[in-house]
Amino acid sequence: MLTKYLIVFFVSMVPLIELRGAIPIAAGMGLTDTLPHLITVFVVAIVGNMLPVPIIYLFARKVLEWGKDKPVIGRFFTFCLEKGEKGGQKLQEKAGRGLFVALALFVGIPLPGTGAWTGSLAASILDMKFKDTVIAAMVGVLLAGVIMMTLSVAGVSAFGVVTGQ
């Protein structure tokens, strides 16, 4: 059982997959069958998804800027920088209601490329305050977690009905 929770934890830390992939994986492994398991998966996925946020905010931009012109890693680092800049531009466009709300929604709506990693990088590129970034990312991750948990549990339940289990 611990191994399954560790899988959820580490998958939720992976860029672009994050909690959005970890929760459906947990549901597929049967970890959402009871309320205590459901709550544990939710907490483990959120902690795993939030753990990299301060590190990304503080260091990712500097590392990507440093490596963008290096021979082997340059193309990947440039891709990551461009992804963060595009995310930052989207946030700026939506910031009519405030950058904090825009970041929380950007992180919270579970679409490809809009998670805590991209949001944190975008916030660092936009020079958002550290505290605001972490809190907005947490709100977004909680929102994404609720959405993904609901969809995953409903999907597993529907699959069980279809297969007669």
Side-chain angles (χ1 to χ4, degrees):
M1 185 69 80
L2 178 61
T3 304
K4 291 180 179 181
Y5 285 117
L6 286 172
I7 290 169
V8 171
F9 178 76
F10 287 118
V11 168
S12 68
M13 292 176 70
V14 175
L16 301 174
I17 298 173
E18 302 181 30
L19 167 139
R20 294 150 168 74
I23 289 177
I25 288 170
M29 290 189 294
L31 290 178
T32 57
D33 56 349
T34 65
L35 186 59
H37 288 163
L38 191 78
I39 292 169
T40 305
V41 164
F42 189 74
V43 170
V44 167
I46 287 171
V47 170
N49 202 172
M50 284 301 298
L51 202 60
V53 168
I55 297 163
I56 295 163
Y57 178 85
L58 295 171
F59 301 111
R61 181 178 177 184
K62 293 171 184 152
V63 171
L64 293 173
E65 291 284 345
W66 168 83
K68 70 181 181 182
D69 59 352
K70 302 297 184 262
V72 177
I73 57 175
R75 290 177 69 189
F76 176 71
F77 280 33
T78 301
F79 167 79
C80 292
L81 266 174
E82 289 172 357
K83 186 102 174 114
E85 288 170 2
K86 287 178 186 175
Q89 289 170 356
K90 286 182 185 179
L91 282 175
Q92 286 284 42
E93 292 169 8
K94 295 178 182 179
R97 290 181 274 164
L99 199 52
F100 178 89
V101 173
L103 179 61
L105 291 174
F106 181 83
V107 172
I109 297 173
L111 296 172
T114 63
W117 279 75
T118 306
S120 299
L121 179 58
S124 73
I125 289 171
L126 294 173
D127 293 321
M128 266 183 83
K129 293 179 182 175
F130 177 76
K131 182 179 174 183
D132 291 345
T133 299
V134 172
I135 294 171
M138 178 59 107
V139 169
V141 167
L142 288 169
L143 175 62
V146 168
I147 292 169
M148 291 310 300
M149 191 64 79
T150 303
L151 292 173
S152 296
V153 170
V156 169
S157 297
F159 184 72
V161 168
V162 171
T163 60
Q165 295 178 358

